[in-house]
Amino acid sequence: KMSTTYDKIKEIETEMARTQKNKATAYHLGTLKAKLAKLKRELMTPAKSGGGPGEGFDVAGTGVARVGFVGFPSVGKSTLMSKLTGTFSEVSEIEFTTLTTIPGVLQYRGAKIQILDLPGIIEGAKDGKGRGRQVIAVARTCSLIFLVLDVLKPLTHKAVIERELEAVGIRLNKEPPKIVFRKKDKGGINMTSTVPLTNIDQDVVRSVLSEYRIASADVSFRCDATVDDFIDVIEGNRVYIPAVYVLNKIDQISIEELDLVYKIPHAVPISAHHGWNFDELLEKMWEYLNLVRIYTKPKGQLPDYSAPVVLKRDRAS
């Protein structure tokens, strides 16, 4: 069953690559993209067989946040993880059981932050093996993703990993598209927009909806959306996760090259081996996790600064 899903995905991707992008083919491409999204959903959904949901893979929620590390085997990911937890963690006891290797908990600014290895997201999911899907399921619960890249070949790796994560419904450093979509029992397709749409028109919207067998709906675009954005909203199972690109091995490049690296958005250059620039990495992590410390103050006493309560910023107010 799996192989057929993969074959169909390959077929559609080939067809899309062959199709020139223009006004005349927009409808056809919209349909293909919707077909593709539906097939990829099958890959994300855990297989029914073999025990309950995520068997042996229930990562208990310790700490206030969970940072997932993704990277190719040779990039120094494990060195970085062990150094981060070794340097900043007094928690040696792993507080959960799982199939993957979990280096542990990072203690930072009074917060316990769980650190997870997400092995083989890159190969695992593609093989349709159970393990790959479980890793995806855990990846989707991360508060932040660290993409660990080799500074000497960052962009090739970055593209591969981003494509993999996109394929399993994870959107990095993106806000959910401002599209309001409501299915109706009757009344046809009613489409409105508050901004000029340069990527999508009524025809394309219809092509996508017909692929989903939706005959009546209200669609309101409040951003200049793409077909992919629209499909994301219909699928409704996308997760939007901040990501930091951790560019390792800066001890192997020149100062001039380092200046260029600093221009890459969301990136922090480090050397895991030498422990260089970890402070900046942790500050970036804190900023992207959007955490805030709240000190509890027992009545009539001074605040207890030794044990802050750490909350997501949107929950704190």
Side-chain angles (χ1 to χ4, degrees):
K1 163 108 174 57
M2 282 315 295
S3 65
T4 59
T5 305
Y6 286 107
D7 298 340
K8 284 180 197 158
I9 286 174
K10 279 273 176 297
E11 262 170 54
I12 292 176
E13 283 176 342
T14 311
E15 163 98 9
M16 279 169 65
R18 273 206 311 260
T19 309
Q20 287 199 314
K21 276 200 180 103
N22 56 43
K23 266 273 187 252
T25 59
Y27 187 94
H28 181 54
L29 280 169
T31 311
L32 290 175
K33 282 185 164 173
K35 280 190 160 73
L36 197 58
K38 287 181 351 190
L39 287 167
K40 284 182 174 168
R41 187 185 339 139
E42 290 178 30
L43 301 186
M44 272 189 274
T45 323
K48 288 287 174 277
S49 63
E55 193 184 358
F57 207 83
D58 304 318
V59 186
T62 21
V64 285
R66 173 180 289 177
V67 179
F69 283 62
V70 192
F72 283 86
S74 55
V75 297
K77 181 177 64 158
S78 42
T79 307
L80 172 62
M81 296 175 90
S82 59
K83 283 216 177 161
L84 280 178
T85 50
T87 319
F88 297 96
S89 167
E90 305 104 59
V91 185
S92 58
E93 198 45 56
I94 288 173
E95 305 173 44
F96 31 75
T97 55
T98 157
L99 294 171
T100 46
T101 51
I102 298 193
V105 177
L106 177 73
Q107 205 86 349
Y108 185 66
R109 296 197 187 176
K112 275 187 187 179
I113 294 163
Q114 198 182 60
I115 288 198
L116 289 164
D117 194 358
L118 300 172
I121 264 210
I122 302 165
E123 301 83 26
K126 274 244 183 308
D127 307 335
K129 297 209 166 52
R131 183 78 169 267
R133 290 180 176 204
Q134 287 167 322
V135 172
I136 289 165
V138 171
R140 288 171 61 97
T141 66
C142 288
S143 337
L144 172 66
I145 288 180
F146 272 2
L147 268 79
V148 188
L149 304 166
D150 183 333
V151 75
L152 299 168
K153 39 176 179 293
L155 297 175
T156 42
H157 282 184
K158 178 175 181 281
V160 172
I161 295 172
E162 284 178 333
R163 204 167 52 236
E164 296 301 330
L165 292 169
E166 286 270 313
V168 297
I170 293 171
R171 303 285 175 261
L172 300 180
N173 294 328
K174 257 187 87 170
E175 292 292 313
K178 294 185 167 65
I179 302 171
V180 181
F181 169 71
R182 261 204 332 273
K183 279 194 263 192
K184 297 184 300 189
D185 293 337
K186 50 180 188 298
I189 307 295
N190 175 33
M191 176 177 147
T192 56
S193 65
T194 56
V195 294
L197 299 178
T198 61
N199 303 301
I200 199 168
D201 60 20
Q202 190 103 23
D203 277 354
V204 175
V205 167
R206 282 177 192 285
S207 74
V208 170
L209 289 174
S210 72
E211 184 55 42
Y212 282 95
R213 297 189 170 74
I214 296 169
S216 292
D218 289 331
V219 189
S220 167
F221 290 96
R222 295 172 190 180
C223 64
D224 186 11
T226 61
V227 185
D228 300 294
D229 292 333
F230 182 45
I231 289 171
D232 278 354
V233 169
I234 298 175
E235 283 283 336
N237 61 354
R238 306 301 190 226
V239 291
Y240 297 85
I241 304 178
V244 172
Y245 300 99
V246 185
L247 300 168
N248 189 22
K249 304 187 186 177
I250 54 169
D251 48 307
Q252 298 177 18
I253 62 172
S254 68
I255 295 291
E256 292 76 27
E257 287 173 303
L258 189 56
D259 283 340
L260 287 173
V261 166
Y262 262 106
K263 296 196 166 75
I264 301 171
H266 312 294
V268 179
I270 62 150
S271 164
H273 181 65
H274 296 285
W276 292 347
N277 213 22
F278 280 11
D279 47 353
E280 190 189 340
L281 181 62
L282 290 166
E283 260 169 53
K284 187 76 128 184
M285 172 192 79
W286 186 263
E287 178 200 333
Y288 275 47
L289 284 171
N290 198 18
L291 297 172
V292 52
R293 281 179 295 176
I294 295 173
Y295 295 99
T296 52
K297 185 180 174 306
K299 212 174 160 77
Q301 291 170 27
L302 289 168
D304 176 6
Y305 289 114
S306 65
V309 179
V310 182
L311 297 170
K312 281 289 284 171
R313 196 171 292 281
D314 50 17
R315 291 210 195 112
S317 49

